[in-house]
Amino acid sequence: MSNSSSITQFLLLAFTDTRELQLLHFWLFLGIYLAALLSNGLIITTTACDQHLHTPMYFFLLNLALLDLGSISITVPKSMANSLWDTRAISYTGCAVQLFLFTFLIEAECYILTIMSYDRYVAICKPLHYGTLLGSRACVHMAAAAWATGFLHALLHMANTFSLPLCKGNALDQFFCEIPQILKLSCSDAYLRELGLLTFGASIFFLCIVFIVLSYVQIFRAVLRIPSEQGRHKAFATCLPHLTVVSLFVSTAVFAYLKPPSISSPSLDLVVSVLYALVPPAVNPLIYSMRNQELKDALWKLISYCFLKQ
């Protein structure tokens, strides 16, 4: 029998025991990680430097890119290092920090996506009040509230989770530390307290989804009343990237945590965890830049300036 005080490290789930496949995993994750760094970095730099993009929509997009960059940087480098050095270990403190930061960034991203739906709702349904409802101070306050709420919830989850006695070993069925995997190692009824917190968090997540759906119901009703086809197309074009990002975020998270036990297996769980931990941060910038001419123009302007400066 062991308890949390005697555990000095956890063992993360290995993708494979074959050395060649471990190196393949390293290079694959490195490629995805570098793509995410580059694309999110370009979004952050462009929206920060281009004066034409200093609007609420791009301010929240900058926040989303920061969160995506943070979340993928929490999980991927450690997994790459473990594959490269043929180990599964992560220290007790490292696991706690990883769990806290990942929970914090994912929760904050959910709130930012919800705020972005409100931004689109006001822009299309209440355009005359856009400057009043989404002034610079209001945008900063909303973004700060999203980050602060995610931080407080993550702190509460981390403190609660790592206060539980752990007596079922130290092996996690995941390639990074997350709350459900730590709870599986608990041998105390105290884990019900953490389940209560998770239920509360899931309720907030559900409310965010309901708010986003209701916002888009109102948006689509307003767009369909626009007389010109060009106007409808422009309105849909501004909403489609956000709606795609939300769908990707929600579908991967829901399938990862709410899939039926009957279809669960270690290999499927691993694939799903990769999908929701790696895919959204890597593809979100592509989704936003592909259909956004204003952002594409700003990106090319920034790239051209960098090359000409050299």
Side-chain angles (χ1 to χ4, degrees):
M1 294 283 285
S2 63
N3 55 42
S4 54
S5 63
S6 66
I7 293 176
T8 59
Q9 66 177 18
F10 292 95
L11 299 177
L12 298 174
L13 182 64
F15 281 81
T16 178
D17 294 326
T18 308
R19 189 60 187 154
E20 290 77 10
L21 293 178
Q22 286 176 342
L23 293 175
L24 177 63
H25 160 244
F26 169 80
W27 288 111
L28 179 61
F29 268 38
L30 179 62
I32 295 172
Y33 185 53
L34 290 177
L37 284 179
L38 178 63
S39 55
N40 283 291
L42 282 173
I43 293 285
I44 293 166
T45 306
T46 305
T47 52
C49 295
D50 196 310
Q51 293 290 330
H52 296 97
L53 301 183
H54 289 182
T55 63
M57 182 175 78
Y58 293 106
F59 171 72
F60 295 128
L61 179 58
L62 183 147
N63 278 266
L64 181 66
L66 285 170
L67 291 165
D68 281 336
L69 199 56
S71 65
I72 199 169
S73 296
I74 297 305
T75 58
V76 171
K78 179 59 181 174
S79 181
M80 288 165 50
N82 280 6
S83 286
L84 189 61
W85 301 114
D86 191 19
T87 180
R88 296 173 54 198
I90 183 171
S91 68
Y92 185 91
T93 303
C95 186
V97 170
Q98 192 180 67
L99 181 146
F100 165 71
L101 290 175
F102 186 75
T103 305
F104 159 44
L105 294 169
I106 289 297
E107 284 210 22
E109 181 161 341
C110 179
Y111 303 141
I112 287 293
L113 288 172
T114 305
I115 294 169
M116 291 174 82
S117 71
Y118 176 70
D119 167 67
R120 294 299 81 207
Y121 164 75
V122 175
I124 292 174
C125 299
K126 299 180 181 292
L128 298 178
H129 301 283
Y130 190 76
T132 305
L133 295 174
L134 285 164
S136 57
R137 182 174 294 184
C139 290
V140 170
H141 286 170
M142 284 189 282
W147 286 77
T149 305
F151 180 88
L152 291 173
H153 282 177
L155 193 62
L156 193 59
H157 280 302
M158 185 194 69
N160 211 29
T161 301
F162 283 91
S163 67
L164 299 174
L166 308 177
C167 63
K168 296 181 181 178
N170 64 342
L172 303 177
D173 294 328
Q174 182 59 284
F175 75 95
F176 63 93
C177 292
E178 61 174 356
I179 295 170
Q181 299 303 324
I182 302 294
L183 292 183
K184 287 181 182 179
L185 305 180
S186 174
C187 53
S188 166
D189 289 338
Y191 77 91
L192 294 173
R193 182 179 56 194
E194 178 56 28
L195 285 179
L197 279 175
L198 287 173
T199 303
F200 176 71
S203 300
I204 294 177
F205 177 78
F206 177 73
L207 289 175
C208 288
I209 301 307
V210 169
F211 182 89
I212 292 171
V213 169
L214 292 177
S215 297
Y216 272 101
V217 168
Q218 296 299 319
I219 287 169
F220 289 145
R221 288 176 61 186
V223 168
L224 292 174
R225 288 199 296 266
I226 297 175
S228 70
E229 185 178 344
Q230 186 178 0
R232 288 196 299 271
H233 177 76
K234 185 177 179 182
F236 276 126
T238 62
C239 295
L240 190 59
H242 175 256
L243 199 54
T244 306
V245 168
V246 169
S247 301
L248 182 64
F249 179 81
V250 172
S251 59
T252 53
V254 167
F255 189 71
Y257 291 108
L258 298 180
K259 65 181 180 299
S262 58
I263 66 169
S264 184
S265 68
S267 56
L268 178 62
D269 292 347
L270 196 58
V271 170
V272 170
S273 65
V274 169
L275 285 177
Y276 83 85
L278 270 72
V279 173
V283 305
N284 283 352
L286 297 176
I287 293 171
Y288 267 100
S289 58
M290 216 178 297
R291 296 291 299 269
N292 191 318
Q293 192 60 45
E294 193 175 23
L295 185 58
K296 281 196 285 189
D297 291 342
L299 281 168
W300 281 116
K301 191 168 151 187
L302 176 67
I303 294 169
S304 301
Y305 173 77
C306 291
F307 277 109
L308 289 173
K309 195 175 178 182
Q310 292 176 351

